[in-house]
Amino acid sequence: MSLIQRPLPFAIDALVPHLSVETLDYHYGKHHKAYVDNGNRLIAGTPFETMTPEQIIREASGAVFNNVAQAWNHDFYWHSLTPSATSPAGALEDALARSFGSIAAFKNRFTEAAIGTFGSGWAWLSRRPDGSLAVSSTQGAGNPLTEGWTPLLTCDVWEHAYYIDYRNARPRYVEKFWEIVDWNAVGRRLTTSPG
């Protein structure tokens, strides 16, 4: 199956002033597109061509893993964001409080993971196979799927995600990230994912 770059789930200017049109034009229109195009080129004519992106991420290495995982990570990131203010509720709110003590404590831990990621990478909220929640950081194209975990939320901390708008102020970008998280999407992932 080929990789597909889904349309953004919002207008390209919908996240202003948190993320500019220029940032999305480069990030979605160039970086994300390149991962999809390169991934499709690399899997063509190989056994990976018949696998889902999730299967490829779990089994591939090298350039195939890097491009397919980055295509998946970016799609997941875009579908974690919304211009409409939301907040954790229901089962998600309960799970975050149970796992981290409070929503504020979870946000602090996730923020620390995002800011503390050395170099380029991702911060994640995931569900482990036993149902517990975990915050982690991955470098490069890393993805919790390789650990058997189910991703629920991610923040892209590659410089191309924020440098146009925030220059080298990653903490400022992460602070603004919380204002555009689609908690409804995170909640759906929690309740529909296995585990």
Side-chain angles (χ1 to χ4, degrees):
M1 102 185 315
S2 61
L3 303 174
I4 297 170
Q5 186 178 20
R6 291 192 291 173
L8 290 170
F10 39 74
I12 198 163
D13 62 351
L15 301 182
V16 174
H18 309 298
L19 294 174
S20 67
V21 171
E22 185 179 9
T23 287
L24 267 71
D25 185 48
Y26 276 90
H27 194 179
Y28 173 79
K30 294 178 174 54
H31 290 281
H32 185 182
K33 183 178 187 308
Y35 293 125
V36 172
D37 292 345
N38 289 335
N40 281 326
R41 179 178 53 78
L42 290 165
I43 66 174
T46 75
F48 294 121
E49 194 172 33
T50 62
M51 296 182 184
T52 66
E54 293 82 3
Q55 290 171 319
I56 297 171
I57 289 168
R58 290 184 185 103
E59 296 186 24
S61 61
V64 171
F65 172 82
N66 288 335
N67 283 276
V68 173
Q70 281 291 84
W72 192 98
N73 292 355
H74 278 87
D75 183 74
F76 191 84
Y77 171 71
W78 301 126
H79 287 83
S80 295
L81 305 179
T82 180
S84 305
T86 61
S87 58
L92 175 61
E93 183 177 17
D94 293 343
L96 290 171
R98 189 167 53 252
S99 295
F100 303 101
S102 68
I103 303 300
F106 156 69
K107 286 185 176 182
N108 286 339
R109 189 175 305 180
F110 189 99
T111 296
E112 289 171 2
I115 294 171
T117 301
F118 183 76
S120 301
W122 303 81
W124 301 90
L125 170 68
S126 304
R127 183 160 73 181
R128 299 184 184 103
D130 66 4
S132 64
L133 301 186
V135 168
S136 63
S137 168
T138 59
Q139 291 187 306
N143 184 299
L145 289 170
T146 61
E147 303 294 325
W149 297 3
T150 301
L152 302 176
L153 173 68
T154 195
C155 181
D156 185 346
V157 292
W158 281 65
E159 286 186 341
H160 64 240
Y162 60 87
Y163 214 83
I164 290 171
D165 298 325
Y166 300 97
R167 298 300 185 254
N168 64 336
R170 184 187 288 183
R172 181 74 172 144
Y173 158 67
V174 176
E175 176 188 339
K176 293 299 182 181
F177 166 79
W178 292 117
E179 298 182 33
I180 52 176
V181 168
D182 186 349
W183 291 108
N184 296 332
V186 181
R188 283 192 301 273
R189 291 166 181 159
L190 177 69
T191 58
T192 61
S193 63

